[in-house]
Amino acid sequence: ENGTDWTLVFEETIEHAEWTNTSVSLAEYAGKGVLVGVRHYNCTGFYFLAVDNFALTVEEPAKLDAPTNLRAAIRQDVPDYDYKYEITVAWDAVEGAKGYDVYVNTEKEQNFHMGYTTSTEYVMFANQEITFEFYVVAFNKDLDIKSEPSEICTVNVVNDGSDPSSSLILFDEGNEITNTVNDISLERD
């Protein structure tokens, strides 16, 4: 900040007098004003350090595509499951992504971060009828690159009180779709 407090980002002991090429990433300082210094110190037998072709370059960060093909599978009254509905949301893999953040919008909460996963699906649960939207954001291994949010996928779970033991209903992103099996329906907005 003031030129007196320095953060060491690279250190090397040179044991020969030949030219070497060195690259150092300053990615964690992107968007910040920094001073860069090269220091020759604490050595014997070398009385100077020659630096040539010194350059600072800015690389465009890689971009991740937004996840696509959002879908959900809902099972009701699954044996040995503590909740009425097991909702598995899924999407297609994004090239370069190491994980995905899953967000939910409900009547009471907007942009609620449900959690993250390194797979292309996430299991949610409910004990009551619910309408929710979900969307997904991909991220890379260093968490410094995130995709734009996916399209929103809306799921509406309705039960008229019958007991559809372990029903399985699939829901796909795309045109408006309504599937009804054992009195549970899903709609895509």
Side-chain angles (χ1 to χ4, degrees):
E1 212 174 279
N2 58 14
T4 60
D5 299 321
W6 294 86
T7 300
L8 181 66
V9 294
F10 177 76
E11 183 174 36
E12 175 179 51
T13 300
I14 301 172
E15 298 184 12
H16 50 79
E18 296 184 23
W19 290 99
T20 60
N21 290 320
T22 303
S23 294
V24 177
S25 173
L26 300 175
E28 68 181 276
Y29 301 100
K32 300 177 185 175
V34 297
L35 299 172
V36 177
V38 176
R39 180 170 76 160
H40 175 254
Y41 75 105
N42 197 22
C43 64
T44 57
F46 294 98
Y47 57 92
F48 71 92
L49 174 67
V51 177
D52 192 18
N53 294 331
F54 184 87
L56 293 176
T57 58
V58 176
E59 295 178 11
E60 283 295 317
K63 294 189 179 196
L64 294 173
D65 293 331
T68 58
N69 195 23
L70 277 65
R71 54 201 179 272
I74 299 176
R75 296 193 311 161
Q76 181 177 339
D77 298 325
V78 177
D80 299 321
Y81 192 68
D82 293 336
Y83 300 94
K84 181 112 180 126
Y85 303 103
E86 176 190 76
I87 306 161
T88 303
V89 296
W91 52 90
D92 290 346
V94 173
E95 185 176 341
K98 297 297 180 200
Y100 304 89
D101 284 316
V102 179
Y103 295 87
V104 171
N105 296 329
T106 66
E107 190 176 287
K108 295 179 182 179
E109 295 280 341
Q110 295 294 306
N111 304 312
F112 181 77
H113 184 242
M114 287 295 293
Y116 73 93
T117 180
T118 56
S119 74
T120 56
E121 63 180 40
Y122 189 85
V123 177
M124 295 185 263
F125 54 85
N127 276 326
Q128 60 197 18
E129 294 179 357
I130 187 169
T131 296
F132 69 92
E133 301 172 334
F134 78 94
Y135 64 93
V136 181
V137 175
F139 58 82
N140 71 343
K141 68 180 175 98
D142 295 326
L143 302 176
D144 61 343
I145 300 172
K146 290 191 172 194
S147 73
E148 292 294 319
S150 68
E151 294 289 323
I152 288 176
C153 187
T154 303
V155 178
N156 183 22
V157 179
V158 179
N159 180 0
D160 73 354
S162 63
D163 184 17
S165 181
S166 297
S167 299
L168 175 63
I169 301 167
L170 298 179
F171 181 85
D172 292 320
E173 172 184 53
N175 297 326
E176 187 170 312
I177 298 171
T178 300
N179 292 334
T180 303
V181 175
N182 293 334
D183 301 316
I184 301 174
S185 67
L186 303 176
E187 297 175 9
R188 170 70 167 99
D189 291 338

